[in-house]
Structures are given as C-alpha cells and as structure tokens.
Amino acid sequence: MENIRIAEISIAVTRKTVKNFNLKVRIRDGTVAMSMPAAASLGEARAFAASRLDWLRRCLERARRLQAVPDLWARPLAYEDGAECWLWGRRFRLKLERMASPGFRVEPRARQIVLLLPADSAPALKQRMLEQCYARQLRIHASALLAQWSPLLGVQVTGLGIRRMQSRWGSCTPATGRIRLALELAKRRREALEYVVLHEMAHLLEPNHSPRFYAILDRHMPDWRSRRALRDRPLEDESG
C-alpha cells in the first residue's frame, strides 16, 4: 500500500489486477482509499484523484456531518421485542413472534416489523431476517422506479443488486447496465431512494460527474439537491 496526497486529502493507494481506478470514502471514519491497475503510475493515480476532488470533498463533508450526529444505522440494534428500527423514514418497532420457520412481515398501521422466528433464535438470525425485510422492501420500490424512469431517460437497467455498503448509497456498471443500491436506503424516505435511483441511471448515460451528468439531474429532477440532503442527514421521524 502507498499513500498520495491531493490538496488536503490523504489517500491510501493499493495496486490490484484491475483495469480502472476506483476511489472509496469510508463514511464511518472519513478515510479515503484507491485501488489502481498494477501497471499504472502514481502520477496517473494523482491525476485521477484530482479529477474527483470536488466529489471527494463532498463525501468527506458528509462523513464529518454524520460523525458529529451519529447515524442510527451505525448504532448496534438490540434485536429484542419492541426494539426501535426504521423503514422509509419512519420509526417502527420490532415484534418477535415464535414460528417454526423464519420469516417477516411489515404492519405499516401498527408501525411494526414482525420477525417470525423459532424460539431462542440467535441475534444473527434476527439480523438476517430484518435485513431480508429491508431488501425486499427496497427491491419492490426500486423496481417500480426503474420501470418509471427507464423510458424517460432512454436507458435499460439489466439488473438490480442490493447489498450492504460502507461508503456509498449506490453504484452502477455502465458497460453492463447493472445498478446496485445500499441496503440502508430502506431506512430513508422514498424521495431519497428515487434520487439515488435516478443518480445511478444517469451514470448509464454519463459515467462521470461532469456538467452533462448534472444537467441530466437538473432536467429530470429539479429538486435533486434537497432529495440528496434527505438521504444524508441523520434519521428522524417526520410523520408524527
């Protein structure tokens, strides 16, 4: 591992058997890492990082905000009956029910996420069931958004992946048309999810954060900046 510095930002660089440069900002601790092709030079790495300097600064500022007011997602969750959890920007409670086969259901009116579990289930199983619930909710809503935005943007999304992410809300592969979303988005308001979906779909038209990319956002979602702010701020229940 090597280190480079771009302006005020220190970046840990690792050479790998990859074709492209890749930057990651760890939101939890504000560190920056880059993977680069093994044959590339540090000068090329510096040039790539410099071209992403505005993006890096935005990510690091977001990291500082979230570290100042810790995000509820980062707090250990007590997987007990009545424990607080979140779905689509609203505070819910876990309800544990004993069942022979694991499962889950969402009861929006009661503000409950019900986990169906065998007696004396380990916390790891409870966590897995809750994450499956989030993933299902996210896939349902994201799939509807993809169907809505595809004809408007003129792009075809070939696959939707949902996974835990430490430093991003989403990613895409323009060459294949595949989009990935962070599992944590299920806890944010739906307006924030729609922004992230549009953001990643716009990258299928323009891979970089260029003026053309932001012009796509401005044209199709004029309020994208306020939606991005909803995505980034600490969770709070606004629904009463």
Side-chain angles (χ1 to χ4, degrees):
M1 184 178 293
E2 302 169 272
N3 286 280
I4 61 174
R5 193 168 189 87
I6 302 298
E8 74 282 8
I9 302 171
S10 178
I11 305 173
V13 179
T14 304
R15 296 178 184 270
K16 295 184 176 181
T17 54
V18 294
K19 294 182 179 180
N20 301 309
F21 292 88
N22 185 40
L23 274 170
K24 290 185 178 181
V25 178
R26 287 181 57 86
I27 298 301
R28 303 307 183 210
D29 59 13
T31 57
V32 183
M34 176 193 292
S35 59
M36 62 180 284
S41 69
L42 288 181
E44 291 174 297
R46 290 189 182 91
F48 178 80
S51 72
R52 305 294 191 275
L53 184 56
D54 288 344
W55 176 80
L56 284 170
R57 284 171 170 160
R58 287 197 302 272
C59 289
L60 290 169
E61 176 57 31
R62 176 157 59 95
R64 284 190 285 271
R65 290 199 307 269
L66 292 180
Q67 289 163 19
V69 184
D71 190 353
L72 289 178
W73 185 266
R75 299 178 189 173
L77 176 63
Y79 294 96
E80 300 173 354
D81 198 61
E84 181 181 85
C85 55
W86 292 78
L87 180 64
W88 303 128
R90 304 173 73 194
R91 184 182 289 107
F92 275 62
R93 297 286 175 181
L94 283 183
K95 182 175 176 57
L96 306 183
E97 292 188 0
R98 293 186 176 184
M99 297 289 289
S101 299
F104 55 82
R105 68 174 182 269
V106 177
E107 297 179 348
R109 290 188 179 181
R111 294 282 195 94
Q112 293 184 147
I113 297 178
V114 183
L115 302 185
L116 312 174
L117 299 159
D120 301 320
S121 293
L125 177 59
K126 298 173 186 177
Q127 178 182 359
R128 185 161 66 250
M129 288 297 100
L130 181 59
E131 290 183 351
Q132 287 181 10
C133 176
Y134 284 141
R136 177 172 173 76
Q137 287 282 316
L138 191 54
R139 185 171 296 279
I140 289 171
H141 289 279
S143 296
L145 290 170
L146 292 175
Q148 171 189 329
W149 282 105
S150 286
L152 298 175
L153 292 174
V155 299
Q156 183 65 42
V157 176
T158 60
L160 173 63
I162 296 168
R163 63 181 63 171
R164 295 183 192 175
M165 295 186 183
Q166 293 295 320
S167 60
R168 297 182 179 184
W169 293 102
S171 66
C172 72
T173 307
T176 64
R178 185 170 177 80
I179 283 176
R180 292 161 292 279
L181 299 175
L183 186 65
E184 290 86 346
L185 279 167
K187 303 185 90 174
R188 307 289 165 167
R189 287 172 55 176
R190 290 184 179 90
E191 295 94 333
L193 169 64
E194 187 169 20
Y195 160 72
V196 175
V197 168
L198 179 62
H199 183 111
E200 299 306 331
M201 293 181 76
H203 275 313
L204 299 181
L205 296 170
E206 181 59 40
N208 299 315
H209 290 101
S210 65
R212 180 171 179 257
F213 171 81
Y214 289 111
I216 294 170
L217 295 186
D218 288 336
R219 181 166 64 253
H220 292 282
M221 187 179 284
D223 64 341
W224 65 267
R225 291 173 180 83
S226 61
R227 290 173 181 249
R228 183 177 66 185
L230 287 175
R231 176 202 67 180
D232 292 341
R233 73 187 185 191
L235 292 164
E236 57 184 0
D237 196 329
E238 300 178 351
S239 57

